Amino acid sequence: MSYATTAAAVCAPPQPAAVPAVAAAPSQPRDRSSWLRFSPAQPLFRARAAQRLAVLAYHGITDPRSFGAQLDRLRRLATPVSVQDVERSLAAGRPLPPRSVLVTFDDPDRTVLRHALPELVARRIPAAAFVIAELVGTEKPFWWHEAAFLARHGGRARLLPRGGDPARVLALLKALPDPDRRRSLAELRVSASRRPPAQEQLRPEDLRALREADVTVGNHTLGHPSLRRCDEATVRAEIAGAHLALTRWLGEAPSAFAYPDGGFDERADAVLRQLGYRLGFLSDHRLGPRLPAHPLRISRLQVDSTTSTRRFDTILSGLEPAVQRLLGAQA
């Protein structure tokens, strides 16, 4: 029996006989994270997780206090490891220690420097930050933030619905072939009534400060496209262009990569191997083996600084991801 099936069998919360469905609905999301932590399956999943590698994928840090509490739990419940620890484990063919956890950040903005870094340094926890190279040293917003803003302010594009909901516009943009995405974004910029506010991004010296504080700086492509929507030449340009820029800023070549859309791409894998990358990270909300079988396809768990302690524990154990996959399969 799989762990996901076990979770389904023992995790269903008790159903009071006389509770109206309308009254229960608003509290469902919060209740799920509460009862999963106290589920009989949680100790089973926690024991299994001790023999797995948990790679946590954060983005910006909006709640430094909560993030610090999460790091405290990692110190008590897990063994924080670095990118270099994972690389050494692979080179030696020896699994990482039990309960190993690697902290990573995708699309790091200045909140990672201002809020996450002090919390990490105070606890001597290493991490990795995967950078969108063309934003470094600029005040450009992330393209998905920009697109949502432009859609809210009357932006139009031939391949997008008029007056579209920003969430739907973003979903459609992400599904377009990359040239169409870029053209549509350019049309939104021309037609919108307002320009999006500037967003101060990390500078080259900030990347070096992160590295000096035991935060490995990795490649997250030039402009964060969905690589699976790109042609082969664009895949190579996105990875190799960012590789050259990061090498210039850091004085050494990056060795770790995170897929910007979270999914594996064979063409990207070939480019990464040619450039000498040793680690590649997905965003599939899974635990992985302590000795990764596929170093350029390492699983990660999605989490953020506002995640509650109870939910954080069930993500770290793998219980919540297993239940999510089961519910998704049943939907």
Side-chain angles (χ1 to χ4, degrees):
M1 182 180 291
S2 72
Y3 278 81
T5 305
T6 302
V10 298
C11 288
Q15 299 297 321
V19 177
V22 173
S27 63
Q28 252 182 347
R30 183 170 55 187
D31 287 347
R32 178 179 296 165
S33 62
S34 296
W35 57 254
L36 274 181
R37 186 187 181 195
F38 299 107
S39 159
Q42 175 68 347
L44 176 67
F45 274 77
R46 189 181 291 120
R48 178 177 181 259
Q51 302 306 318
R52 308 287 283 172
L53 169 63
V55 184
L56 303 181
Y58 290 88
H59 287 80
I61 299 300
T62 58
D63 190 338
R65 181 175 295 182
S66 175
F67 178 66
Q70 292 170 4
L71 295 182
D72 287 337
R73 293 196 72 75
L74 291 185
R75 272 292 177 206
R76 289 197 298 272
L77 302 174
T79 303
V81 297
S82 67
V83 162
Q84 290 72 30
D85 289 330
V86 181
E87 291 178 351
R88 284 192 288 268
S89 170
L90 286 163
R94 291 195 300 269
L96 289 157
R99 303 188 187 281
S100 288
V101 177
L102 172 61
V103 175
T104 71
F105 301 89
D106 282 1
D107 325 322
D109 58 15
R110 298 196 70 77
T111 66
V112 171
L113 187 73
R114 292 169 179 162
H115 302 318
L117 190 60
E119 303 293 338
L120 291 163
V121 169
R123 294 161 179 83
R124 298 183 180 179
I125 293 179
F130 295 101
V131 175
I132 304 172
E134 71 179 21
L135 297 183
V136 173
T138 75
E139 294 186 346
K140 298 177 183 177
F142 298 118
W143 75 256
W144 50 95
H145 290 171
E146 181 184 16
F149 181 94
L150 295 172
R152 285 194 299 270
H153 291 86
R156 299 185 306 276
R158 286 168 292 179
L159 296 178
L160 301 174
R162 285 180 175 268
D165 172 70
R168 185 168 177 234
V169 166
L170 278 180
L172 290 170
L173 281 172
K174 290 178 180 180
L176 289 174
D178 197 59
D180 291 335
R181 177 187 68 88
R182 291 179 179 274
R183 279 193 294 269
S184 296
L185 191 54
E187 292 172 15
L188 289 173
R189 291 179 182 128
V190 170
S191 58
S193 60
R194 291 182 57 188
R195 310 304 302 161
Q199 179 177 353
E200 187 183 9
Q201 300 287 352
L202 295 173
R203 301 181 295 266
E205 57 267 32
D206 298 326
L207 303 184
R208 293 189 287 271
L210 288 171
R211 184 185 59 183
E212 292 302 313
D214 209 11
V215 178
T216 299
V217 177
N219 187 337
H220 205 37
T221 70
L222 275 174
H224 203 288
S226 173
L227 294 179
R228 288 174 291 187
R229 304 290 179 184
C230 298
D231 59 32
E232 189 167 346
T234 302
V235 169
R236 174 171 291 279
E238 284 284 339
I239 296 172
H243 181 82
L244 289 173
L246 289 169
T247 301
R248 184 172 69 252
W249 293 325
L250 298 170
E252 60 184 12
S255 63
F257 177 82
Y259 287 87
D261 58 353
F264 179 72
D265 184 273
E266 291 282 357
R267 300 163 305 164
D269 179 89
V271 175
L272 294 171
R273 292 177 187 277
Q274 290 169 6
L275 292 173
Y277 280 76
R278 294 186 284 275
L279 302 179
F281 293 91
L282 310 175
S283 296
D284 52 357
H285 207 44
R286 291 175 179 267
L287 294 161
R290 288 191 291 134
L291 182 63
H294 302 286
L296 294 179
R297 282 180 273 177
I298 298 175
S299 292
R300 289 192 296 174
L301 299 164
Q302 298 300 306
V303 68
D304 64 53
S305 62
T306 64
T307 300
S308 70
T309 298
R310 290 178 175 179
R311 183 164 176 250
F312 186 77
D313 285 353
T314 61
I315 291 173
L316 199 60
S317 73
L319 174 57
E320 194 228 51
V323 171
Q324 279 192 9
R325 288 194 296 275
L326 182 68
L327 295 175
Q330 292 177 345

